[in-house]
Amino acid sequence: MNGLTELDRRIVLATQGGLPLTARPFDILAEQLDVDADLIRQRMQRMLDRGAIRRIGVVPNHYKLGFRANGMSVWDVDDEKIAHLGERIGGLDFVSHAYHRPRRLPEWPYNLFAMVHGKSRDEVARKVKLIAGILGDAQRQHEVLFSTRVLKKTGLRLLEQTVMTARKSEVA
Amino acid sequence: MDDLDRRIINNLQGGFPLEDRPFRVAAARLDISEERLIERVRAMLADGRLSRFGPLYNVEMMGGSFSLCAMRVPVERFEEVAEQVNSLPQVAHNYERDHPFNMWFVLATESMDGIAEVVAELERSTELPVYEFPKLDEYYVGLRFNV
């Protein structure tokens, strides 16, 4: 499955909740998984190189840090220019995610989605203006959708599910 | 939130070293001691300023499929439809948004076929169209969230 070995999957399960907060965290993992700490670091390096691990470090909680307003800005951008412009928008430090998604015409003309974080709706609106400036003429129209309520939020711990299913039915 | 917490958040969102004493190496870059760094990270995890510390996995490379979906739910049916959507285990997040497309959720299934099945099931049970917005491309430059 996607080039992940059984050991990789065990490393994911052991670390997706976090690394041990101790001077030698990989020794703790080595003990848990009953393999050499060097091997764990090698496998994690390989997952980093292949993009299975995006990064290793602190994951800030926007909301707790005072960034209470989040707006999903959606943009109708020239298809020829979206790849180049999308990269620029994704690189802004107030944009946490930027995606190219299909339009659903006629109801939905937008093909670029960028999640914008700010301390208030006003701040989000100012940041959306900055994005509009970068997109310039390549952008025909846009909107900002503010979330008004979280209806459901569960973590995406899919691997656990996948591994468990695989164990049950040997499909993976 | 003092200057050190801020520096830790701004500088340690990636690049935690895969070494025997990783905190010592990371702490040296911040010009503090290993113990101090561990203690600060622990405190920020405890009060929720950090939601996690460790590797951030790309769930899509772990196997499985994901799709953002949206619905235009008539206001008078909103709570009822929210309950129907939330009851599906494949729904990971669901947000109400201030727009005619007022319900936005992420489906996570083990295969692409799984997404189509869930969408069909939802359209049947709610008698409303479900708009799928699968990712065509992702512009991810490695989030550097500054505080």
Side-chain angles (χ1 to χ4, degrees):
Chain A
M1 184 183 64
N2 298 302
L4 290 191
T5 64
E6 181 56 34
L7 175 58
D8 292 340
R9 285 200 280 266
R10 290 172 60 215
I11 293 172
V12 177
L13 287 181
T15 59
Q16 64 181 347
L19 283 176
L21 292 175
T22 170
R24 291 192 167 86
F26 301 107
D27 284 4
I28 305 277
L29 288 171
E31 212 166 294
Q32 265 177 37
L33 300 175
D34 198 23
V35 290
D36 199 74
D38 271 331
L39 181 58
I40 292 176
R41 285 188 288 262
Q42 277 167 30
R43 298 309 304 178
M44 289 183 74
Q45 184 61 53
R46 184 166 172 277
M47 287 193 271
L48 256 178
D49 295 340
R50 299 180 65 242
I53 295 178
R54 291 181 184 279
R55 54 194 170 87
I56 307 175
V58 299
V59 182
N61 178 338
H62 290 83
Y63 194 81
K64 265 275 181 176
L65 290 167
F67 290 73
R68 309 235 153 152
N70 85 81
M72 184 172 75
S73 68
V74 294
W75 308 79
D76 175 9
V77 177
D78 259 353
D79 289 314
E80 292 88 69
K81 295 183 183 157
I82 194 167
H84 166 69
L85 289 168
E87 290 293 344
R88 288 189 58 192
I89 305 307
L92 298 169
D93 70 358
F94 53 82
V95 171
S96 62
H97 308 85
Y99 298 103
H100 180 196
R101 299 186 186 278
R103 296 185 177 88
R104 296 299 182 200
L105 298 170
E107 300 94 330
W108 187 264
Y110 308 111
N111 58 345
L112 176 67
F113 289 55
M115 196 61 75
V116 177
H117 296 270
K119 295 192 169 167
S120 65
R121 286 194 178 198
D122 283 350
E123 190 182 335
V124 170
R126 283 196 297 277
K127 289 170 170 175
V128 166
K129 273 198 186 139
L130 290 176
I131 296 179
I134 293 171
L135 295 177
D137 294 342
Q139 179 259 142
R140 285 174 287 265
Q141 49 184 329
H142 70 274
E143 288 190 80
V144 183
L145 282 69
F146 285 100
S147 64
T148 43
R149 194 160 33 131
V150 180
L151 301 168
K152 183 176 184 180
K153 191 166 192 174
T154 53
L156 284 177
R157 292 199 170 187
L158 195 79
L159 184 67
E160 197 146 12
Q161 222 174 301
T162 311
V163 169
M164 310 247 294
T165 314
R167 283 201 185 123
K168 273 184 237 149
S169 60
E170 305 292 321
V171 281
Chain B
M1 187 82 170
D2 66 9
D3 184 56
L4 178 55
D5 288 339
R6 216 168 266 127
R7 286 202 298 135
I8 291 171
I9 291 175
N10 290 345
N11 293 296
L12 202 57
Q13 288 174 51
F16 188 69
L18 292 167
E19 299 192 24
D20 180 40
R21 302 273 296 263
F23 286 101
R24 189 166 63 179
V25 178
R29 290 182 204 150
L30 294 163
D31 218 8
I32 56 173
S33 71
E34 178 184 40
E35 297 76 25
R36 192 112 191 266
L37 177 57
I38 293 175
E39 179 191 302
R40 288 298 181 111
V41 170
R42 180 173 291 131
M44 288 195 281
L45 278 169
D47 66 24
R49 279 176 291 164
L50 297 181
S51 52
R52 236 156 45 71
F53 173 77
L56 190 69
Y57 287 100
N58 178 353
V59 279
E60 286 169 60
M61 290 196 64
M62 302 293 128
S65 298
F66 300 86
S67 189
L68 178 67
C69 295
M71 293 172 78
R72 293 188 294 178
V73 184
V75 177
E76 66 279 7
R77 289 190 58 201
F78 194 86
E79 300 305 320
E80 167 213 339
V81 173
E83 228 167 86
Q84 281 173 297
V85 170
N86 291 350
S87 70
L88 298 174
Q90 297 91 343
V91 173
H93 312 131
N94 188 7
Y95 287 87
E96 179 182 37
R97 292 191 181 276
D98 193 3
H99 191 269
F101 280 81
N102 52 2
M103 193 179 289
W104 290 80
F105 49 94
V106 173
L107 292 181
T109 64
E110 294 194 24
S111 69
M112 237 16 222
D113 294 348
I115 300 273
E117 277 167 34
V118 176
V119 166
E121 185 185 329
L122 262 179
E123 290 193 325
R124 212 168 32 240
S125 63
T126 62
E127 297 180 315
L128 293 168
V130 173
Y131 297 81
E132 270 186 80
F133 295 98
K135 181 179 85 178
L136 301 177
D137 203 355
E138 176 176 1
Y139 308 112
Y140 184 84
V141 195
L143 175 65
R144 285 290 177 278
F145 176 70
N146 280 298
V147 294

mmCIF file of all heavy atoms in Angstrom, chain A residues 10-33:
data_model
loop_
_atom_site.group_PDB
_atom_site.id
_atom_site.type_symbol
_atom_site.label_atom_id
_atom_site.label_comp_id
_atom_site.label_asym_id
_atom_site.label_seq_id
_atom_site.Cartn_x
_atom_site.Cartn_y
_atom_site.Cartn_z
ATOM 1 N N ARG A 10 3.460 0.655 11.535
ATOM 2 C CA ARG A 10 3.539 0.604 13.011
ATOM 3 C C ARG A 10 4.114 1.912 13.557
ATOM 4 O O ARG A 10 3.707 2.384 14.613
ATOM 5 C CB ARG A 10 4.384 -0.595 13.443
ATOM 6 C CG ARG A 10 3.657 -1.927 13.160
ATOM 7 C CD ARG A 10 4.574 -3.125 13.404
ATOM 8 N NE ARG A 10 5.046 -3.178 14.773
ATOM 9 C CZ ARG A 10 6.274 -3.611 15.130
ATOM 10 N NH1 ARG A 10 7.131 -4.013 14.207
ATOM 11 N NH2 ARG A 10 6.620 -3.631 16.394
ATOM 12 N N ILE A 11 5.056 2.494 12.825
ATOM 13 C CA ILE A 11 5.620 3.791 13.256
ATOM 14 C C ILE A 11 4.525 4.868 13.203
ATOM 15 O O ILE A 11 4.388 5.674 14.127
ATOM 16 C CB ILE A 11 6.830 4.180 12.378
ATOM 17 C CG1 ILE A 11 7.989 3.212 12.623
ATOM 18 C CG2 ILE A 11 7.255 5.626 12.659
ATOM 19 C CD1 ILE A 11 9.170 3.391 11.667
ATOM 20 N N VAL A 12 3.724 4.857 12.132
ATOM 21 C CA VAL A 12 2.642 5.841 12.024
ATOM 22 C C VAL A 12 1.693 5.710 13.212
ATOM 23 O O VAL A 12 1.351 6.704 13.872
ATOM 24 C CB VAL A 12 1.860 5.673 10.693
ATOM 25 C CG1 VAL A 12 0.705 6.662 10.649
ATOM 26 C CG2 VAL A 12 2.766 5.871 9.499
ATOM 27 N N LEU A 13 1.287 4.470 13.481
ATOM 28 C CA LEU A 13 0.346 4.271 14.593
ATOM 29 C C LEU A 13 0.928 4.748 15.914
ATOM 30 O O LEU A 13 0.239 5.334 16.733
ATOM 31 C CB LEU A 13 -0.024 2.779 14.712
ATOM 32 C CG LEU A 13 -0.944 2.250 13.625
ATOM 33 C CD1 LEU A 13 -1.253 0.769 13.863
ATOM 34 C CD2 LEU A 13 -2.241 3.056 13.579
ATOM 35 N N ALA A 14 2.225 4.514 16.104
ATOM 36 C CA ALA A 14 2.844 4.872 17.382
ATOM 37 C C ALA A 14 3.086 6.375 17.506
ATOM 38 O O ALA A 14 3.245 6.880 18.613
ATOM 39 C CB ALA A 14 4.165 4.117 17.526
ATOM 40 N N THR A 15 3.160 7.104 16.375
ATOM 41 C CA THR A 15 3.563 8.509 16.453
ATOM 42 C C THR A 15 2.511 9.506 15.982
ATOM 43 O O THR A 15 2.712 10.708 16.093
ATOM 44 C CB THR A 15 4.836 8.757 15.604
ATOM 45 O OG1 THR A 15 4.558 8.403 14.244
ATOM 46 C CG2 THR A 15 6.005 7.949 16.114
ATOM 47 N N GLN A 16 1.384 9.025 15.410
ATOM 48 C CA GLN A 16 0.427 10.002 14.871
ATOM 49 C C GLN A 16 -0.211 10.846 15.974
ATOM 50 O O GLN A 16 -0.676 11.949 15.716
ATOM 51 C CB GLN A 16 -0.619 9.345 13.985
ATOM 52 C CG GLN A 16 -1.522 8.379 14.687
ATOM 53 C CD GLN A 16 -2.534 7.738 13.721
ATOM 54 O OE1 GLN A 16 -2.690 8.201 12.602
ATOM 55 N NE2 GLN A 16 -3.203 6.703 14.163
ATOM 56 N N GLY A 17 -0.191 10.358 17.201
ATOM 57 C CA GLY A 17 -0.682 11.166 18.309
ATOM 58 C C GLY A 17 0.398 12.101 18.839
ATOM 59 O O GLY A 17 0.111 13.021 19.604
ATOM 60 N N GLY A 18 1.648 11.873 18.468
ATOM 61 C CA GLY A 18 2.738 12.726 18.928
ATOM 62 C C GLY A 18 3.980 11.922 19.288
ATOM 63 O O GLY A 18 3.922 10.702 19.429
ATOM 64 N N LEU A 19 5.097 12.630 19.425
ATOM 65 C CA LEU A 19 6.356 11.997 19.835
ATOM 66 C C LEU A 19 6.501 12.096 21.348
ATOM 67 O O LEU A 19 6.037 13.069 21.952
ATOM 68 C CB LEU A 19 7.543 12.717 19.189
ATOM 69 C CG LEU A 19 7.857 12.444 17.724
ATOM 70 C CD1 LEU A 19 9.009 13.353 17.272
ATOM 71 C CD2 LEU A 19 8.225 10.983 17.504
ATOM 72 N N PRO A 20 7.159 11.121 21.972
ATOM 73 C CA PRO A 20 7.401 11.223 23.425
ATOM 74 C C PRO A 20 8.215 12.471 23.749
ATOM 75 O O PRO A 20 9.182 12.780 23.047
ATOM 76 C CB PRO A 20 8.208 9.962 23.732
ATOM 77 C CG PRO A 20 7.959 9.020 22.598
ATOM 78 C CD PRO A 20 7.688 9.876 21.392
ATOM 79 N N LEU A 21 7.786 13.188 24.793
ATOM 80 C CA LEU A 21 8.491 14.417 25.181
ATOM 81 C C LEU A 21 9.593 14.079 26.173
ATOM 82 O O LEU A 21 9.455 14.292 27.375
ATOM 83 C CB LEU A 21 7.510 15.408 25.797
ATOM 84 C CG LEU A 21 6.486 15.992 24.829
ATOM 85 C CD1 LEU A 21 5.498 16.866 25.569
ATOM 86 C CD2 LEU A 21 7.197 16.781 23.735
ATOM 87 N N THR A 22 10.654 13.547 25.633
ATOM 88 C CA THR A 22 11.748 13.145 26.468
ATOM 89 C C THR A 22 13.032 13.279 25.651
ATOM 90 O O THR A 22 12.970 13.375 24.430
ATOM 91 C CB THR A 22 11.531 11.694 26.964
ATOM 92 O OG1 THR A 22 12.693 11.227 27.585
ATOM 93 C CG2 THR A 22 11.183 10.759 25.821
ATOM 94 N N ALA A 23 14.167 13.316 26.316
ATOM 95 C CA ALA A 23 15.426 13.624 25.620
ATOM 96 C C ALA A 23 15.691 12.670 24.449
ATOM 97 O O ALA A 23 16.218 13.085 23.420
ATOM 98 C CB ALA A 23 16.585 13.596 26.609
ATOM 99 N N ARG A 24 15.351 11.415 24.627
ATOM 100 C CA ARG A 24 15.602 10.437 23.547
ATOM 101 C C ARG A 24 14.300 9.780 23.102
ATOM 102 O O ARG A 24 14.062 8.602 23.363
ATOM 103 C CB ARG A 24 16.598 9.376 24.016
ATOM 104 C CG ARG A 24 18.015 9.889 24.210
ATOM 105 C CD ARG A 24 18.995 8.727 24.399
ATOM 106 N NE ARG A 24 20.366 9.164 24.285
ATOM 107 C CZ ARG A 24 21.075 9.663 25.313
ATOM 108 N NH1 ARG A 24 20.536 9.799 26.503
ATOM 109 N NH2 ARG A 24 22.330 10.028 25.114
ATOM 110 N N PRO A 25 13.461 10.522 22.395
ATOM 111 C CA PRO A 25 12.137 9.993 22.039
ATOM 112 C C PRO A 25 12.194 8.740 21.163
ATOM 113 O O PRO A 25 11.319 7.867 21.276
ATOM 114 C CB PRO A 25 11.478 11.151 21.269
ATOM 115 C CG PRO A 25 12.589 12.055 20.863
ATOM 116 C CD PRO A 25 13.666 11.888 21.882
ATOM 117 N N PHE A 26 13.226 8.640 20.319
ATOM 118 C CA PHE A 26 13.265 7.481 19.415
ATOM 119 C C PHE A 26 13.650 6.202 20.160
ATOM 120 O O PHE A 26 13.306 5.112 19.719
ATOM 121 C CB PHE A 26 14.202 7.764 18.232
ATOM 122 C CG PHE A 26 13.753 8.968 17.450
ATOM 123 C CD1 PHE A 26 14.443 10.166 17.533
ATOM 124 C CD2 PHE A 26 12.595 8.917 16.681
ATOM 125 C CE1 PHE A 26 14.007 11.291 16.840
ATOM 126 C CE2 PHE A 26 12.148 10.036 15.989
ATOM 127 C CZ PHE A 26 12.855 11.231 16.070
ATOM 128 N N ASP A 27 14.338 6.361 21.311
ATOM 129 C CA ASP A 27 14.623 5.182 22.129
ATOM 130 C C ASP A 27 13.341 4.623 22.736
ATOM 131 O O ASP A 27 13.170 3.410 22.851
ATOM 132 C CB ASP A 27 15.615 5.527 23.255
ATOM 133 C CG ASP A 27 17.041 5.667 22.717
ATOM 134 O OD1 ASP A 27 17.208 5.573 21.478
ATOM 135 O OD2 ASP A 27 17.970 5.865 23.527
ATOM 136 N N ILE A 28 12.446 5.528 23.133
ATOM 137 C CA ILE A 28 11.159 5.085 23.695
ATOM 138 C C ILE A 28 10.368 4.332 22.625
ATOM 139 O O ILE A 28 9.821 3.259 22.864
ATOM 140 C CB ILE A 28 10.325 6.304 24.165
ATOM 141 C CG1 ILE A 28 11.113 7.152 25.152
ATOM 142 C CG2 ILE A 28 8.973 5.861 24.716
ATOM 143 C CD1 ILE A 28 11.078 6.690 26.566
ATOM 144 N N LEU A 29 10.355 4.908 21.410
ATOM 145 C CA LEU A 29 9.639 4.250 20.309
ATOM 146 C C LEU A 29 10.269 2.897 19.989
ATOM 147 O O LEU A 29 9.565 1.923 19.722
ATOM 148 C CB LEU A 29 9.675 5.130 19.050
ATOM 149 C CG LEU A 29 8.810 6.383 19.085
ATOM 150 C CD1 LEU A 29 9.117 7.262 17.873
ATOM 151 C CD2 LEU A 29 7.335 6.001 19.100
ATOM 152 N N ALA A 30 11.615 2.866 20.029
ATOM 153 C CA ALA A 30 12.324 1.626 19.718
ATOM 154 C C ALA A 30 11.903 0.526 20.692
ATOM 155 O O ALA A 30 11.669 -0.621 20.296
ATOM 156 C CB ALA A 30 13.831 1.861 19.795
ATOM 157 N N GLU A 31 11.766 0.905 21.928
ATOM 158 C CA GLU A 31 11.366 -0.065 22.940
ATOM 159 C C GLU A 31 9.930 -0.542 22.684
ATOM 160 O O GLU A 31 9.652 -1.730 22.700
ATOM 161 C CB GLU A 31 11.452 0.600 24.309
ATOM 162 C CG GLU A 31 11.822 -0.332 25.432
ATOM 163 C CD GLU A 31 12.209 0.470 26.657
ATOM 164 O OE1 GLU A 31 13.251 1.175 26.603
ATOM 165 O OE2 GLU A 31 11.444 0.429 27.628
ATOM 166 N N GLN A 32 9.055 0.450 22.413
ATOM 167 C CA GLN A 32 7.645 0.121 22.138
ATOM 168 C C GLN A 32 7.503 -0.830 20.957
ATOM 169 O O GLN A 32 6.692 -1.745 20.970
ATOM 170 C CB GLN A 32 6.895 1.400 21.742
ATOM 171 C CG GLN A 32 6.169 2.101 22.855
ATOM 172 C CD GLN A 32 5.542 3.391 22.309
ATOM 173 O OE1 GLN A 32 5.060 3.460 21.182
ATOM 174 N NE2 GLN A 32 5.553 4.422 23.125
ATOM 175 N N LEU A 33 8.253 -0.535 19.893
ATOM 176 C CA LEU A 33 8.076 -1.282 18.640
ATOM 177 C C LEU A 33 9.036 -2.453 18.529
ATOM 178 O O LEU A 33 8.977 -3.234 17.589
ATOM 179 C CB LEU A 33 8.277 -0.339 17.438
ATOM 180 C CG LEU A 33 7.319 0.858 17.369
ATOM 181 C CD1 LEU A 33 7.701 1.781 16.210
ATOM 182 C CD2 LEU A 33 5.883 0.380 17.195
#
